[in-house]
Amino acid sequence: MAQPIQISTTQFIARKEAEIDGHNYSVRKIGAGTQLDLSREFATVEALRQDSLNEMGKLESETDPKKKEAIQGKLLALSGKLADTIARVEEIYASLFDDGEGGERSKKLMHDVGIDNVANLYNQIWGEPNA
């Protein structure tokens, strides 16, 4: 039987080493699929934020206690969806940062930096715009 061809994807996936807050990370360059995932999640975050603002406006002007309670329920549900979406964004970015420790440090870094700043962190490493 013929030996299988051996291929390493490292030739296709660029990486940079970065020291962040005293810890070394191997940071993978974002691929097209990951970029699409991030774009989708960021669009969802913006839509949920807009929906939340709309519901808060309704809540402020509503005088009926039962309707207020219903709006508060909608806001709570939107908040949960927003938290889940933010967690997915953090997970996607964490997958780009290999901390050499199974990913827990990368997940904490993404959570601490927050989705509003993680693209800036990534851009400091790669020197180009991102999501």
Side-chain angles (χ1 to χ4, degrees):
M1 181 185 280
Q3 291 288 38
I5 185 170
Q6 295 182 2
I7 300 172
S8 172
T9 58
T10 58
Q11 64 185 320
F12 307 114
I13 302 171
R15 291 188 168 275
K16 282 189 177 180
E17 299 300 316
E19 183 180 317
I20 304 168
D21 294 335
H23 186 78
N24 291 329
Y25 295 85
S26 177
V27 183
R28 176 174 56 90
K29 186 168 178 91
I30 198 165
T34 304
Q35 184 63 51
L36 287 172
D37 291 343
L38 282 170
S39 294
R40 182 188 64 240
E41 297 300 341
F42 275 117
T44 300
V45 165
E46 289 309 310
L48 289 168
R49 284 180 175 171
Q50 187 61 50
D51 289 349
S52 295
L53 287 173
N54 290 339
E55 291 300 321
M56 288 190 326
K58 291 178 189 177
L59 183 63
E60 288 176 5
S61 64
E62 186 56 62
T63 57
D64 183 297
K66 288 191 181 214
K67 288 182 180 178
K68 276 190 165 213
E69 188 175 324
I71 294 169
Q72 288 171 333
K74 287 180 185 178
L75 279 168
L76 186 60
L78 287 168
S79 176
K81 289 178 184 178
L82 184 58
D84 290 345
T85 306
I86 289 170
R88 285 193 300 273
V89 170
E90 290 174 356
E91 189 72 31
I92 291 168
Y93 268 109
S95 73
L96 300 173
F97 288 72
D98 181 355
D99 59 21
E101 299 176 5
E104 288 306 311
R105 188 180 288 258
S106 295
K107 289 176 187 175
K108 182 177 180 337
L109 174 66
M110 296 307 112
H111 187 72
D112 290 347
V113 170
I115 68 165
D116 293 330
N117 293 312
V118 70
N120 294 330
L121 173 66
Y122 182 86
N123 292 341
Q124 284 184 16
I125 296 165
W126 285 98
E128 56 191 54
N130 192 14

